[in-house]
């Protein structure tokens, strides 16, 4: 986690320092300059439209609260590094971080349960924290009204970042290494040539550049437009106020001594300002701000604004929150607000930062929608990416390519960004979808799914059925299912168990349309794909291969299924827009890559009766001998041309059937009619997830990322070391210290949902288990009840030495749930059900 480059990354080992221009000298820009120059890239110019001391963006007014705990491991790692770095910085003897700790309060039973879940996140990501009782909350914050507090979550290493001071400290360090910071330089244009950035134009001159980084905060969309790049960021105003001096704090000699305080049940937070209290509110209506209408620094000052990011305080929005403040803190009941403002900062449609290099304009990077909490962590990751070619953390949740085209419209960004503001402190279930705008993307089968009573959740803009009410009568045929707790019962139905059983015993139709499909063609397609992926693709047309995309360090960027349809044409099943971006960046001129997802659709037909359903619809032979596992065939089912692939991610006989979107409804109706006599059902993602975990099939982005190598992730079977591919050299000495491990919960009624910490016995040097340890050994990735097995299945990253049968504990809402390391695959280990 050190900001000092490793050996081999010193300036002396990097004779050429590319010209880097960073737009914005807020906390992100200053952090990035520090991180880049520490790695030997010293030709760094940081441009700022305002004065360096207080540039006028979000950094200038940020209250500085740093809570490290997050459901996102990536955000937690960013915050941990930010704390670690800022604690080590000071200016003139004044530290840049005041580690007073953090305290999140519960005033409702629901919030108290949520704090136990957050404590689980903290433990999983290596952050100190504990759920404490009311008495301890009062010790930490004596000004609270004890009668309304049920408990709290105390994190002693959190605290207050002095953002302007930290900017100053890093600016000085970067300057000593050769960087320059220029104030009063307003960017007016981005120059480019042959798809690469070449310079930044300002009102004070032009600055040639090999790389340009937009760290402009809420002005990011403005800089992006100059470069021809859409930046999916929505600025919103957020209320912050300071009280008059309080008698209870009189005599205070330090800026703050109590933990930073969150009253999330009322969307409020508090921090001390010596003898005053600062209060921030997310309780008011969203106040979107047009980034193109925000005034430049000097013009804002000329209009008597404190800074461009500080809008007038709206008393009417504050009134309800002030009453909530007074209820929580009795000392405020006779106090008044001395000053307040509506400060502007950035939100994205999913609440995550936007980082990475643009594919449309090479050398143009984004480090946007970054809060002070994550600033140094994001800067480190971007610096690693620029200098070393990859970040040390998995950034797929933050990658600028993650949004689909349908998610990049200004109206979508505004609506979803505003909703992210509303939900900052909400108790959110991991499956909870946004409510608007929906439906956005639907498969051709949507009308039929509605008729069957589909319960839709949303992902990537797609409406995804999770189960169908039409299958409710099948629940009566099941053995009694264990009762679920209220949390795990959200967005779940026992109908999923019935659909899983129907798949295992008969046949079911699954809508697989949201899965990304790429067409790769051209004379060089085979050589290209074979070089980019780990498995052997030199097979005859009709072959389908499971393979991996690795980066140069051997990390799993993605997993793919590659079908060779003709000698020069392949259909690639991919995971995200980042896969298209990665392949496109590396493709030679004789290879053409096209995303065909929106123009096609897919139905998975799976179950022991799958062949009985599809064979009568075609003249081609669908027997196992004629159409083997991992084979593809272009054929007709009834009147519909399809590409049929003998694949199964539920562990049953079946095919993925692809056709064009205009024929999708006809394909569904053809299969549905043919399956009536076989008892066909439509099945949703809830059953799918259960079935795939019983088979141990990995989900990229959840179970494995580029932080993991194939052997750790249990997909080493897809690696062929007798050929050259990207990342091969890094696998030669890849250590195996951790492993994605299958667990079965001991109690048939117990469930977990994912991201919980796992406690395991220690291992001695011989790999034998010892006494349980206090710190978590790892964390759960995916989990679902295995209806065939009668147990909840959880996959977790754990030490590699744990053997089958080892007892572990998973922490679920503060309770230790026993589980056992299992041997995979848990279901049908000989694969007889798929290959029949």
């Amino acid at each position: 986690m050190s900001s000092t480059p490793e050996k081999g990354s010193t300036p002396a080992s990097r004779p050429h320092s590319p010209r880097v221009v960073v737009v914005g000298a807020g906390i992100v820009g200053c952090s990035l300059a520090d991180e880049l120059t520490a790695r030997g890239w010293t030709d760094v110019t940081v441009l700022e439209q305002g004065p360096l001391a207080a540039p006028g963006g979000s950094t200038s007014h940020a209250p500085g609260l740093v809570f490290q705990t997050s459901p996102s491991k990536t955000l937690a790692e960013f915050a941990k590094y930010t704390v670690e770095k800022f604690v080590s910085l000071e200016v003139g003897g004044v530290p840049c971080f005041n580690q007073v700790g953090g305290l999140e309060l519960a005033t409702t039973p629901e919030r108290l349960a949520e704090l136990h879940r957050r404590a689980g996140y903290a433990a999983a990501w290596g952050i100190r924290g504990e759920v404490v009782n009311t008495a301890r909350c009062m010790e930490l914050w004596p000004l609270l009204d004890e009668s309304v507090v049920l408990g709290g979550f105390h994190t002693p290493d959190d605290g207050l970042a002095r953002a302007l001071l930290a900017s100053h400290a890093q600016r000085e360090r970067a300057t000593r290494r050769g960087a320059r910071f220029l104030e009063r330089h307003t960017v007016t244009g981005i120059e480019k040539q042959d798809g690469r950035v070449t310079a930044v134009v300002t009102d004070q001159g032009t600055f040639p550049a090999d790389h340009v980084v937009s760290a402009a905060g809420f002005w990011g969309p403005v800089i992006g437009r100059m470069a021809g790049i859409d930046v999916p960021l929505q600025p919103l105003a957020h209320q912050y106020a300071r009280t008059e001096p309080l008698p209870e704090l009189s005599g205070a000699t330090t800026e703050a001594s109590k933990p930073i305080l969150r009253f999330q049940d009322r969307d409020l937070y508090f921090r001390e300002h010596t003898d005053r209290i600062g209060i921030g509110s997310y309780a008011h209506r969203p106040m979107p701000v047009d980034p193109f209408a925000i005034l430049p620094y000097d013009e804002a000052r000329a209009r008597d604004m404190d800074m461009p990011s500080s809008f007038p305080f709206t008393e009417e929005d504050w009134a309800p929150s002030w009453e909530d403040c007074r209820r929580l803190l009795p000392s405020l009941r006779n106090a008044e607000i001395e000053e307040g403002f509506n400060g502007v900062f950035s939100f994205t449609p999913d609440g995550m930062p936007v980082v990475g290099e643009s594919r449309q304009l090479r050398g143009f990077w984004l480090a946007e929608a970054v809060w002070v909490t994550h600033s140094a962590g994001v800067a480190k990751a971007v610096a690693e990416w620029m200098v070393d070619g990859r970040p040390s953390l998995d950034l797929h949740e933050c990658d600028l390519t993650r949004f689909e085209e349908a998610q990049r419209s200004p109206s979508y960004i505004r609506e979803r960004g505003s909703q992210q503001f509303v939900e900052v402190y909400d108790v959110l279930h991991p499956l909870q979808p946004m409510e608007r705008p929906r439906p956005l993307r639907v498969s051709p089968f949507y009308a039929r799914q509605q008729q069957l009573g589909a319960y839709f959740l949303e992902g990537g803009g797609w409406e995804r059925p999770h189960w169908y009410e039409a299958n409710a009568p099948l629940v009566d045929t099941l053995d009694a299912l264990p009762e679920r707790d209220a949390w795990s019962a959200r967005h779940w139905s026992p109908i999923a168990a019935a659909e899983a059983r129907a798949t295992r015993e008969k046949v079911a139709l699954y809508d697989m349309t949201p899965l990304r499909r790429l067409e790769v063609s051209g004379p060089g397609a085979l050589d290209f794909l074979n070089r980019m992926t780990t498995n052997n693709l030199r097979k005859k047309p009709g072959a389908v291969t499971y393979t991996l995309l690795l980066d140069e360090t051997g990390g799993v960027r993605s997993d793919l299924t590659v079908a060779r349809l003709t000698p020069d044409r392949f259909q690639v099943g991919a995971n995200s827009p980042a896969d298209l971006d990665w392949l496109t960046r590396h493709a030679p001129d004789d290879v053409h890559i096209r995303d065909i997802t929106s123009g096609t659709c897919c139905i998975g037909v799976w179950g022991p009766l799958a062949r009985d359903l599809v064979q009568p619809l075609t003249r081609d032979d669908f027997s196992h001998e004629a159409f083997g596992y991992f084979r593809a065939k272009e054929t007709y089912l009834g009147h519909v041309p399809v590409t049929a692939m003998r694949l199964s991610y539920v562990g049953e006989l079946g095919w993925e059937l692809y056709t064009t979107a205009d024929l999708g409804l006809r394909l569904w109706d053809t299969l549905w009619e043919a399956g009536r006599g076989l008892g066909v059902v439509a099945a949703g993602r809830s059953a799918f997830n259960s079935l795939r975990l019983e088979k141990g099939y990995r989900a990229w982005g959840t179970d494995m990322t580029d932080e993991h190598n194939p052997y750790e992730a249990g997909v080493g079977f897809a690696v062929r070391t007798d050929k050259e591919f990207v990342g091969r050299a890094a696998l030669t000495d890849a250590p195996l210290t951790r492993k994605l491990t299958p667990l079965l919960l001991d109690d048939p009624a117990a469930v977990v949902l994912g991201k919980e910490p796992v406690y395991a016995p220690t291992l001695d040097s011989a790999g034998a288990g010892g006494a349980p340890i206090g710190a978590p050994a790892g964390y759960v990735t995916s989990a679902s009840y295995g209806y065939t097995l009668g147990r909840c299945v959880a996959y977790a990253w754990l030490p590699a030495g744990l053997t089958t049968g080892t007892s572990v504990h998973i922490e679920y809402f503060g309770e230790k749930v026993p589980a056992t390391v299992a041997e995979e695959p848990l279901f049908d280990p000989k694969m007889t059900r798929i290959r029949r």
Side-chain angles (χ1 to χ4, degrees):
M1 294 289 288
S2 172
S3 61
T4 303
E6 296 178 1
K7 187 176 180 180
S9 298
T10 62
S13 68
R14 298 185 186 279
H16 171 64
S17 180
R19 298 168 299 179
V20 180
V21 175
V22 179
V23 181
I27 189 65
V28 178
C30 291
S31 297
L32 180 58
D34 183 47
E35 296 288 339
L36 285 172
T37 55
R39 288 167 174 77
W41 280 24
T42 55
D43 191 351
V44 176
T45 301
V46 183
L47 303 174
E48 174 54 52
Q49 66 156 338
L52 292 174
S58 300
T59 300
S60 302
H61 71 246
L65 281 70
V66 176
F67 282 91
Q68 300 170 83
T69 304
S70 169
S72 165
K73 179 177 180 291
T74 299
L75 288 187
E77 294 291 349
F78 286 159
K80 286 167 62 180
Y81 181 75
T82 299
V83 169
E84 179 184 316
K85 185 176 187 182
F86 288 3
V87 162
S88 70
L89 298 176
E90 64 175 39
V91 176
V94 179
C96 293
F97 194 81
N98 186 359
Q99 204 156 30
V100 292
L103 179 63
E104 303 179 33
L105 297 177
T107 60
T108 65
E110 293 77 15
R111 180 66 63 177
L112 187 59
E114 165 74 357
L115 295 186
H116 280 286
R117 190 164 67 102
R118 288 182 59 77
Y121 292 145
W125 313 146
I127 298 166
R128 290 201 303 157
E130 64 173 337
V131 176
V132 296
N133 61 21
T134 303
R136 179 59 176 152
C137 291
M138 296 304 300
E139 290 176 9
L140 293 165
W141 252 86
L143 303 185
L144 295 170
D145 182 341
E146 184 174 7
S147 68
V148 302
V149 178
L150 300 183
F153 174 45
H154 181 221
T155 45
D157 298 325
D158 290 339
L160 294 165
R162 298 182 173 101
L164 288 175
L165 211 62
S167 297
H168 181 92
Q170 294 176 99
R171 194 165 63 239
E172 284 191 336
R173 293 204 313 192
T175 300
R176 289 195 295 269
R177 301 187 191 112
R180 58 177 175 167
F181 292 77
L182 303 177
E183 64 183 6
R184 305 292 184 174
H185 280 62
T186 299
V187 175
T188 59
I190 305 291
E191 292 187 350
K192 46 199 168 183
Q193 184 176 353
D194 299 327
R196 283 203 65 92
V197 70
T198 59
V200 176
V201 182
T202 77
D203 59 352
Q204 303 294 319
T206 298
F207 296 83
D210 302 302
H211 297 273
V212 173
V213 185
S214 177
F218 52 69
W219 281 294
V222 179
I223 303 301
R225 179 175 291 183
M226 296 178 191
I229 306 300
D230 291 330
V231 179
L233 176 161
Q234 176 61 56
L236 286 112
H238 161 62
Q239 291 199 301
Y240 191 78
R242 294 191 193 197
T243 69
E244 62 186 3
L246 301 178
E248 292 82 356
L249 299 179
S250 63
T253 58
T254 60
E255 178 192 16
S257 60
K258 300 178 184 62
I260 49 177
L261 186 69
R262 276 175 163 172
F263 181 21
Q264 291 149 300
D265 287 325
R266 288 296 182 268
D267 298 307
L268 293 165
Y269 63 82
F270 305 82
R271 57 152 295 179
E272 294 169 287
H273 292 283
T274 311
D275 60 352
R276 296 163 170 81
I277 291 180
I279 308 164
S281 172
Y282 293 99
H284 55 81
R285 61 188 170 88
M287 303 177 192
V289 176
D290 181 358
F292 296 90
I294 297 175
L295 298 176
Y297 184 90
D298 288 327
E299 189 174 342
R301 295 288 288 176
R303 297 191 185 185
D304 294 327
M305 293 174 62
D306 184 47
M307 62 186 73
S309 62
S310 180
F311 282 38
F313 193 62
T314 49
E315 296 280 357
E316 65 277 12
D317 293 302
W318 177 254
S321 291
W322 185 228
E323 292 305 312
D324 290 329
C325 295
R326 288 170 157 172
R327 191 171 87 254
L328 182 71
L329 301 172
S331 57
L332 299 183
R333 290 170 189 171
N334 296 316
E336 297 296 334
I337 294 298
E338 187 172 75
E339 59 180 341
F341 65 96
N342 290 359
V344 181
F345 64 143
S346 303
F347 284 82
T348 58
D350 59 4
M352 299 293 287
V354 180
V355 300
E357 184 186 22
S358 167
R359 178 161 51 92
Q360 291 82 7
L361 183 60
R362 300 300 301 276
F364 185 82
W365 296 76
L366 296 180
E368 297 289 10
V370 182
W371 294 5
V372 172
T373 301
H374 311 113
S375 54
V378 168
K380 179 191 178 198
V382 173
E384 290 173 335
W385 205 343
M386 295 175 71
V387 176
D388 303 323
R390 76 179 296 274
S392 57
L393 285 178
D394 164 50
L395 297 187
H396 82 273
E397 292 178 312
C398 309
D399 195 306
L400 63 90
T401 65
R402 69 187 184 271
F403 294 113
E404 305 284 348
E405 191 65 28
Q407 297 174 301
R408 303 185 73 93
S409 71
S411 58
Y412 183 94
I413 294 166
R414 179 185 175 96
E415 190 164 1
R416 288 287 174 105
S418 297
Q419 188 62 24
Q420 287 294 333
F421 177 92
V422 171
E423 294 180 351
V424 162
Y425 283 167
D426 286 0
V427 177
L428 299 175
H429 193 276
L431 293 177
Q432 184 169 326
M434 285 281 192
E435 294 301 320
R436 299 186 311 273
R438 291 180 62 193
L440 184 63
R441 308 176 78 189
V442 299
S443 78
F445 327 126
Y446 183 65
R448 297 293 183 266
Q449 293 165 343
Q450 287 181 304
Q451 292 168 3
L452 293 170
Y455 183 86
F456 291 100
L457 297 179
E458 183 250 15
W462 288 100
E463 294 297 318
R464 302 184 180 208
H466 273 242
W467 65 83
Y468 295 85
E469 288 296 329
N471 296 323
L474 298 178
V475 175
D476 295 335
T477 68
L478 302 175
D479 294 333
L481 293 171
E483 280 196 27
R484 290 206 170 202
D485 64 276
W487 184 252
S488 65
R490 292 190 193 181
H491 305 293
W492 174 85
S493 168
I495 295 172
E499 293 174 359
R501 179 175 177 179
T503 308
R504 290 278 188 240
E505 296 181 355
K506 294 183 179 180
V507 61
L509 306 184
Y510 287 82
D511 181 1
M512 306 303 290
T513 300
L515 299 184
R516 184 166 303 278
R517 294 172 289 285
L518 309 177
E519 182 184 79
V520 181
S521 61
L526 174 59
D527 290 341
F528 167 66
L529 287 173
N530 210 45
R531 183 177 73 254
M532 294 299 296
T533 69
T534 59
N535 215 332
N536 176 31
L537 302 184
R538 297 190 183 280
K539 302 173 183 177
K540 294 180 180 179
V544 181
T545 307
Y546 177 80
T547 187
L548 308 172
L549 283 179
L550 305 185
D551 62 23
E552 289 82 355
T553 68
V556 181
R557 283 191 58 94
S558 188
D559 61 342
L560 311 175
T561 52
V562 179
R564 191 177 188 186
L565 302 179
T566 70
D568 294 338
R569 181 168 60 90
F570 296 78
Q571 182 171 309
V572 178
N575 283 296
S576 75
D579 296 343
L580 174 62
D581 179 71
W582 178 257
L583 292 172
T584 302
R585 286 177 183 270
H586 290 84
D589 292 340
D590 62 348
V591 173
H592 310 288
I593 304 175
R594 187 165 63 99
D595 190 330
I596 61 173
T597 308
S598 61
T600 55
C601 58
C602 177
I603 300 175
V605 182
W606 291 311
L609 302 182
R611 184 175 288 113
D612 299 72
L613 194 157
V614 298
Q615 183 61 81
L617 300 174
T618 178
R619 294 181 179 180
D620 286 309
D621 188 350
F622 271 54
S623 68
H624 180 66
E625 294 73 22
F627 197 158
Y629 191 52
F630 267 82
R631 300 290 298 171
K633 184 177 294 188
E634 294 183 300
T635 184
Y636 286 86
L637 293 182
H639 298 93
V640 182
V642 300
T643 298
M645 297 187 194
R646 180 90 183 272
L647 305 175
S648 173
Y649 287 92
V650 299
E652 296 293 336
L653 170 70
W655 288 264
E656 292 179 359
L657 303 173
Y658 298 90
T659 192
T660 54
D662 60 319
L663 290 168
L665 190 59
R666 185 60 179 261
L667 176 61
W668 179 281
D669 289 344
T670 299
L671 295 170
W672 189 259
E673 187 60 33
R676 283 183 181 276
L678 303 172
V680 69
V681 302
R685 298 289 297 183
S686 187
F688 176 89
N689 200 44
S690 170
L691 297 169
R692 70 104 181 162
L693 281 173
E694 290 184 331
K695 285 298 295 179
Y697 293 139
R698 276 61 169 155
W700 185 87
T702 301
D703 298 315
M704 58 184 180
T705 69
D706 59 8
E707 292 184 10
H708 312 110
N709 72 50
Y711 305 113
E712 295 173 322
V715 289
F717 63 86
V719 177
R720 296 290 178 267
T721 55
D722 58 351
K723 64 163 221 173
E724 291 298 322
F725 56 84
V726 173
R728 180 182 181 276
L731 296 181
T732 304
D733 299 314
L736 189 64
T737 59
R738 59 183 176 176
K739 185 179 179 183
L740 187 61
T741 305
L743 305 174
L744 279 176
L745 273 61
D746 295 350
D747 182 353
V751 295
V752 296
L753 299 181
K755 299 186 178 182
E756 297 89 356
V758 181
Y759 297 81
T762 57
L763 299 174
D764 61 24
S765 58
I773 57 175
Y779 60 90
V780 175
T781 58
S782 295
S784 181
Y785 200 85
Y787 300 110
T788 316
L789 303 173
R791 292 286 192 282
C792 182
V793 180
Y795 271 76
W797 282 104
L798 291 171
L802 296 179
T803 57
T804 300
T806 300
S807 295
V808 301
H809 290 85
I810 303 172
E811 184 178 319
Y812 182 72
F813 285 93
E815 300 293 328
K816 296 293 196 302
V817 179
T820 303
V821 174
E823 186 173 355
E824 61 179 343
L826 305 172
F827 176 78
D828 188 27
K830 296 184 178 179
M831 305 285 282
T832 56
R833 298 175 70 92
I834 293 176
R835 295 188 173 102
R836 57 179 170 183

